[in-house]
Amino acid sequence: MVGDTDDDIAVRRRGSSGHRACGHTADVRIEAWGADRESCLLEAVRGLVECFADVSGARSAGVARVRLPDEGDEELLAALLDEVVYRLEVRGEVPVEVAARAADGGLDVRFTMAALDGVEIIGAVPKAVAWHELRIRPDAYGWSCAVTIDV
């Protein structure tokens, strides 16, 4: 990412993946990175979940598959995270594992889900994905993204 500190550079070597949450007034800001767009998107999902739930001991309650249209990188990031928020609010479930692959002009996503009441809640549950300052793009290390989540 532009303006990387030496610590960021040590963590973000070409080909690595990861995420972190940053303090943001009344919201959560997630930064994620990966070797390619799909791994960056998956890290954003993992970062979102880790902001509010400890899923380390969760039991799988099923698998959900979603096909998201590829209408642009930012739209895809927002749609993927919106899917997680939707499943939390409407179905009471949280992803404990996520996988994705580009396919036919879209993104095929596979979530392994757990019941929300079966995970430890450690933070404010997300309510929406904010479009303000949402970004995803290639960078010197692969791909990176940043998104603000309303809680």
Side-chain angles (χ1 to χ4, degrees):
M1 291 180 261
V2 175
D4 283 337
T5 65
D6 289 339
D7 290 341
D8 294 335
I9 293 168
V11 170
R12 292 205 58 226
R13 296 291 180 209
R14 183 171 294 280
S16 70
S17 295
H19 58 268
R20 66 179 169 203
C22 305
H24 197 268
T25 307
D27 299 314
V28 174
R29 182 90 173 149
I30 298 167
E31 296 177 353
W33 56 91
D36 54 33
R37 185 180 72 162
E38 288 72 25
S39 61
C40 181
L41 291 165
L42 296 178
E43 287 297 329
V45 171
R46 292 178 186 118
L48 172 62
V49 171
E50 285 181 12
C51 286
F52 73 93
D54 177 359
V55 296
S56 61
R59 293 182 9 176
S60 171
V63 172
R65 296 180 190 276
V66 178
R67 158 97 24 126
L68 299 173
D70 190 349
E71 298 173 338
D73 298 330
E74 288 82 12
E75 290 80 2
L76 192 55
L77 174 60
L80 180 59
L81 298 179
D82 278 340
E83 184 68 26
V84 174
V85 172
Y86 166 80
R87 290 182 176 277
L88 284 167
E89 291 180 347
V90 175
R91 297 186 167 198
E93 57 188 20
V94 60
V96 294
E97 293 180 20
V98 60
R101 67 179 181 84
D104 299 328
L107 187 70
D108 286 338
V109 183
R110 181 183 183 276
F111 294 109
T112 302
M113 305 302 288
L116 186 58
D117 61 5
V119 301
E120 181 182 357
I121 303 301
I122 58 172
V125 176
K127 301 295 180 199
V129 177
W131 278 88
H132 180 69
E133 296 182 349
L134 180 145
R135 67 160 176 76
I136 179 170
R137 63 179 171 252
D139 66 16
Y141 307 102
W143 280 73
S144 66
C145 68
V147 60
T148 301
I149 305 297
D150 297 331
V151 294

